[in-house]
C-alpha cells in the first residue's frame, strides 16, 4: 500500500520509513552504507481516446436548444471508458434544431462501443448524450433537449488496452 518498513526481526519493525502514494513495488540498491530506493508501480496500458472530433452539420427539426454546443467522442471496451476526445462546436439556430454527426471515429479491435458527449447551450461541461453500441457506425442524429443531459463525461480514463502490466516509475 505504498509503505516501506525496516524489518529487523519478526518482533522488531520500524516504520513505515517511507510512504509514496501509488507505489506497489520498489527496487533497492545498497551502496556506500546507504540504501537507494527506486519506487515504481505496475499498471495496464490505457486505451487512448479518439484523436479527432466528429464532423457536425445543422439539420431541420426540433430538439436541441438554440446556442453553441460542443460534441466529443469517447471509446469504450470491457474494462471501461476513455475520457472524451477533442471537442467540435456548432451553433444551433431556430428551425435547425437537430445536429448531424458524421465521421465519428472508430477504434481498434479492443473498442466495443463509442460514447457521444455534448454540452448544453452556452456551457463547456460535457454530458453523455448517447452510446453507439458498435465500432462501425459513423453517423448519428442528435435531437435531445438539454434537460435530458444529466450524466457528466468521465474525468478519468478507465479503459485499459491489453492484459500485460507495464512497470513505470512513480512521479515525484
Amino acid at each position: 500500500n505504498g509503505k516501506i518498513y525496516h524489518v529487523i526481526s519478526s518482533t522488531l519493525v520500524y516504520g513505515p520509513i517511507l510512504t509514496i502514494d501509488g507505489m506497489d513495488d520498489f527496487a533497492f540498491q545498497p551502496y556506500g552504507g546507504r540504501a537507494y530506493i527506486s519506487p515504481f508501480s505496475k499498471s495496464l496500458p490505457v486505451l487512448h481516446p479518439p484523436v479527432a472530433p466528429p464532423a457536425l452539420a445543422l439539420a431541420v427539426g426540433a430538439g436541441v436548444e438554440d446556442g453553441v454546443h460542443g460534441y466529443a467522442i469517447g471509446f469504450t471496451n470491457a474494462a471501461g471508458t476513455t475520457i472524451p476526445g477533442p471537442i467540435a462546436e456548432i451553433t444551433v439556430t431556430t428551425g435547425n434544431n437537430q445536429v448531424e454527426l458524421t465521421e465519428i471515429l472508430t477504434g481498434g479491435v479492443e473498442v466495443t462501443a463509442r460514447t457521444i458527449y455534448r454540452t448544453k447551450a452556452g456551457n463547456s461541461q460535457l454530458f453523455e448524450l448517447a452510446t453507439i453500441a458498435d465500432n462501425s457506425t459513423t453517423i448519428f442524429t442528435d435531437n435531445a433537449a438539454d434537460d435530458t443531459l444529466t450524466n457528466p463525461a468521465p474525468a478519468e480514463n478507465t479503459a485499459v488496452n491489453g492484459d500485460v502490466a507495464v512497470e513505470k516509475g512513480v512521479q515525484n
Side-chain angles (χ1 to χ4, degrees):
N1 293 331
K3 297 177 181 169
I4 297 176
Y5 296 84
H6 183 183
V7 179
I8 303 298
S9 69
S10 62
T11 58
L12 183 58
V13 177
Y14 294 107
I17 60 171
L18 178 64
T19 301
I20 300 175
D21 289 337
M23 178 179 63
D24 57 23
D25 204 353
F26 65 93
F28 174 85
Q29 181 65 46
Y31 181 77
R34 296 184 179 198
Y36 292 89
I37 298 171
S38 178
F40 58 89
S41 65
K42 295 178 184 173
S43 64
L44 295 173
V46 297
L47 178 64
H48 295 286
V51 296
L56 307 174
L58 293 178
V60 175
V64 181
E65 278 82 352
D66 289 355
V68 177
H69 293 273
Y71 289 83
I73 307 297
F75 288 148
T76 300
N77 67 11
T81 302
T82 68
I83 58 173
I87 298 172
E89 291 186 340
I90 192 167
T91 302
V92 175
T93 57
T94 303
N96 296 309
N97 295 94
Q98 291 189 4
V99 177
E100 297 287 335
L101 287 75
T102 59
E103 301 176 29
I104 298 171
L105 289 184
T106 57
V109 295
E110 66 280 355
V111 174
T112 57
R114 277 91 35 81
T115 303
I116 301 171
Y117 299 99
R118 188 187 93 198
T119 64
K120 297 179 182 182
N123 193 324
S124 62
Q125 171 67 46
L126 286 168
F127 291 89
E128 186 176 329
L129 171 65
T131 298
I132 300 173
D134 63 42
N135 191 27
S136 57
T137 302
T138 59
I139 60 170
F140 178 83
T141 300
D142 176 19
N143 61 356
D146 281 357
D147 61 0
T148 64
L149 304 177
T150 58
N151 189 18
E156 183 178 327
N157 188 347
T158 59
V160 294
N161 183 8
D163 58 3
V164 178
V166 175
E167 293 182 351
K168 61 181 181 176
V170 177
Q171 293 180 1
N172 300 324

